[in-house]
DNA sequence: TGTACATCAGTGAACGCGCGTTCACTGATGTAC
DNA sequence: TGTACATCAGTGAACGCGCGTTCACTGATGTAC
């Protein structure tokens, strides 16, 4: 546990608290995407992490602080997934891999590990100024990671492509998630995929 | 007040309760679109309607009943607005009028009177089975009202166009509503408008 | 190496508050005669 | 027309519950000597 690097005032393993903190954030990130911002109660998140609610304020100043970290984590996780997929493809078709990865039944069926925009966009838009600012920062980081893979020669073209492609994908996943029949969901996803792949 | 048609057991004006009921639903519909499903508390909605919370259960069996009626009302209002706009245009360009009406700064700035999909889609997807079924019914009515105006000769083409156009528009409005700068919002809306108008 | 002490992540009871729901009551409206 | 009665939309206090937050306490870990 890298004991030699321990700060002299540390009593517990140096990483122990950090790891617990991160586990809480990761579990909250899942819960927030699955049940919405108002669906992630402090006690429930702590139970997910194998803890009791009392210890929460040893890790976070408030529930809002957890929520902003959880949304940040969600953007990071989804960003990692899309970057990983995009990097496997030749640069010219990377954006197509992002589209097929995003508009996938797996993504549509598992909001809890998916893009936070598809499960939280309207709630983020309604959040108070502080939270909105912080979440917008995370959204911008997410966008900046996607930009290199977007189609277009000039930066402004790629920025425009990001908005158009992600707008369409977000709306498509949201509609798909409302539909009861798996076959309807798959058709919606496939139609949007074909539409986008032919549009740039 | 059409007193002659009064049912013999009616003591109050025949329409009085219906009108109050509808006013509550309309106010709830605004509140639900502005603040989300969990942001529309019974007491707040009743206060909007100039009443106190105690009388609520003279009009609705439960809060869920109000919510389903409110979402239905929202789809109806937005449907009316789009149909009205579309009917003013020649049939071949009606869908373009729907796109420009939907992707408008006024719609982006006023969630409370806008399309419920842009403010509630993820919450609807997470709702319990009963509510989801009812809301899906309203969504299908909404879709059926839009279908005649969608581009495409065959019905299946128009259904596909509806999904693609509305997915893109929903995602666009949601992203626009997250952005702090009015100029950024306007650019996003304009880009999506141009994109859609050139795509069919 | 062994023992006394300090730290602090985690526990669980308790708090105040907002919310959905219930209920005894009110008072305006319309009916019966 | 006037008076006694019935109805029922609306009132406001009260309820139980879940939630965010606080706090005195615990006990495992690491330090000092």
């Amino acid at each position: 546990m890298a004991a030699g690097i321990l700060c002299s005032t540390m009593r517990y393993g140096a990483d122990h608290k950090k790891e617990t903190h991160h586990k809480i954030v990761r579990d909250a990130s899942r819960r927030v995407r699955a049940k919405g911002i108002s669906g992630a109660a402090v006690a429930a998140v702590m139970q997910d992490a194998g803890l009791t609610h009392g210890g929460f304020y040893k890790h976070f100043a408030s529930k809002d602080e957890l929520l902003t970290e959880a949304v940040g984590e969600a953007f990071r996780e989804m960003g990692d997934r899309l970057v990983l997929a995009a990097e496997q493809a030749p640069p010219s078709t990377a954006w197509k891999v992002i589209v097929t990865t995003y508009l996938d039944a797996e993504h549509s069926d598992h909001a809890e590990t998916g893009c936070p925009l598809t499960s939280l966009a309207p709630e983020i838009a309604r959040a108070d100024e502080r939270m909105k600012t912080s979440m917008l920062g995370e959204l911008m980081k997410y966008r900046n990671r996607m930009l290199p893979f977007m189609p277009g020669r000039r930066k402004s073209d790629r920025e425009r492509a990001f908005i158009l492609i992600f707008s369409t994908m977000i709306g498509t996943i949201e509609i798909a998630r409302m539909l009861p029949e798996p076959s309807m969901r798959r058709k919606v996803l496939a139609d949007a995929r074909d539409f986008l792949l032919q549009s740039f």
Side-chain angles (χ1 to χ4, degrees), chain A residues 25-130:
Chain A
V25 170
R26 236 184 309 120
D27 291 335
S29 163
R30 297 251 156 103
R31 204 166 252 280
V32 124
R33 283 179 277 182
K35 314 256 182 187
I37 284 179
S38 51
V42 167
V45 172
M46 291 300 275
Q47 201 170 0
D48 288 348
L51 300 167
T52 57
H53 65 277
F56 180 78
Y57 293 88
K58 292 279 156 60
H59 289 281
F60 307 93
S62 67
K63 195 198 172 186
D64 275 10
E65 193 174 301
L66 169 68
L67 289 178
T68 54
E69 288 192 34
V71 172
E73 171 73 15
F75 275 116
R76 232 171 293 124
E77 285 179 17
M78 190 65 192
D80 287 349
R81 202 158 110 203
L82 294 175
V83 166
L84 190 73
E87 283 175 343
Q88 314 267 322
S92 64
T93 63
W95 73 274
K96 297 189 178 186
V97 175
I98 287 180
V99 168
T100 53
T101 305
Y102 200 106
L103 292 177
D104 190 86
E106 210 272 338
H107 184 202
S108 170
D109 290 346
H110 296 285
E112 74 277 8
T113 53
C115 176
L117 291 172
T118 57
S119 37
L120 301 176
E123 282 181 280
I124 293 174
R126 288 190 291 262
D128 63 54
E129 214 52 52
R130 267 186 72 81

Side-chain angles (χ1 to χ4, degrees), chain A residues 108-169:
Chain A
S108 170
D109 290 346
H110 296 285
E112 74 277 8
T113 53
C115 176
L117 291 172
T118 57
S119 37
L120 301 176
E123 282 181 280
I124 293 174
R126 288 190 291 262
D128 63 54
E129 214 52 52
R130 267 186 72 81
M131 228 162 146
K132 210 159 116 179
T133 303
S134 140
M135 288 174 182
L136 192 72
E138 300 297 334
L139 169 57
M140 284 308 173
K141 281 191 231 164
Y142 183 65
R143 186 193 75 142
N144 290 339
R145 294 180 75 185
M146 296 300 124
L147 281 186
F149 305 111
M150 289 294 109
R153 291 218 179 76
R154 287 174 303 176
K155 195 190 174 200
S156 64
D157 290 339
R158 290 194 300 275
E159 286 173 351
R160 186 173 161 278
F162 170 82
I163 292 287
L164 297 175
I165 290 171
F166 274 78
S167 288
T168 304
M169 296 198 301

Side-chain angles (χ1 to χ4, degrees), chain A residues 1-6 12-16 19:
Chain A
M1 268 207 223
I5 320 174
L6 276 176
Y12 283 69
D15 298 329
H16 176 249
E19 279 165 12

